[in-house]
Amino acid sequence: MHTKIIQELLSQEDSEEAIQRITSIDSNKDTSRNHLLIKILETTEDHELRNQAAIALSELQDDRAVEPLIQAIMDPGTSGSRGTFLYALEHLDYILHIEHIIPFIGDTSLEVCAQSFMLLEQLEDKLSNEQILTCEQVIEQQIRHNERKLLVVALDMVRSWK
């Protein structure tokens, strides 16, 4: 029911009503519509709608959303929404993608920096030695181009995990 209605609303460019439908999917914990939320995340140009889909996927804790969220974070056209996408990863299994997340610790947006740092911090006891080494190398590379204090703190933190 929701899938058809949301698709109709999107074709009519009624994003406000589509956002309300997405919110109802989230609040009802209706995981049968996750494929639609992922499709919205991957295809829509509407920032509010894409952000709402990301948040709904996070609340539904569907790990199939990790790849599309990482792709959205990496997309240069979504720079204003990265904080939301990073937030959406918080309750998902993103460990295999940490090397794509940590460069954003040096971002100019405070929200993006803080959220990226927090995602790294959450993995303290979960990363393999190889992943820790990779994180260390990525952060060192970032520091060469960007001397943000939070990157230095992240590097010290990762080194303490060895």
Side-chain angles (χ1 to χ4, degrees):
M1 175 182 123
H2 286 294
T3 305
K4 193 172 200 160
I5 293 169
I6 291 172
Q7 288 173 335
E8 282 180 30
L9 292 169
L10 290 175
S11 69
Q12 298 168 7
E13 297 185 18
D14 189 350
S15 63
E16 192 171 311
E17 180 67 24
I19 288 171
Q20 289 176 353
R21 294 290 179 160
I22 289 171
T23 303
S24 75
I25 290 171
D26 176 20
S27 62
N28 293 329
K29 302 296 183 202
D30 183 1
T31 58
S32 68
R33 305 295 185 247
N34 290 7
H35 65 284
L36 174 64
L37 296 173
I38 290 170
K39 184 174 181 164
I40 290 169
L41 180 66
E42 292 175 327
T43 61
T44 189
E45 296 296 320
D46 185 309
H47 300 295
E48 287 182 57
L49 187 59
R50 188 175 47 225
N51 287 352
Q52 191 61 45
I55 290 168
L57 286 162
S58 177
E59 293 293 322
L60 294 169
Q61 297 184 4
D62 186 345
D63 287 330
R64 292 176 295 177
V66 171
E67 292 281 337
L69 284 166
I70 293 296
Q71 291 302 318
I73 291 165
M74 304 297 289
D75 183 347
T78 63
S79 63
S81 297
R82 287 187 180 129
T84 302
F85 301 148
L86 290 161
Y87 168 80
L89 287 171
E90 189 174 338
H91 300 291
L92 303 175
D93 185 11
Y94 60 88
I95 192 168
L96 296 176
H97 302 281
I98 191 62
E99 72 275 1
H100 297 296
I101 296 167
I102 56 177
F104 291 102
I105 294 172
D107 197 88
T108 57
S109 163
L110 180 58
E111 178 187 15
V112 171
C113 289
Q115 197 65 44
S116 301
F117 183 85
M118 190 272 315
L119 289 171
L120 175 62
E121 192 174 37
Q122 277 186 189
L123 298 178
E124 179 178 356
D125 297 324
K126 298 174 183 144
L127 292 173
S128 69
N129 289 335
E130 185 178 312
Q131 287 173 308
I132 291 171
L133 181 60
T134 299
C135 289
E136 184 178 7
Q137 291 169 344
V138 170
I139 295 169
E140 286 172 344
Q141 181 182 19
Q142 290 296 310
I143 289 173
R144 281 188 223 116
H145 304 288
N146 180 349
E147 294 183 25
R148 287 201 173 278
K149 177 73 173 161
L150 198 53
L151 282 167
V152 175
V153 172
L155 182 59
D156 289 342
M157 180 178 70
V158 169
R159 285 180 174 162
S160 75
W161 295 347
K162 289 182 178 179

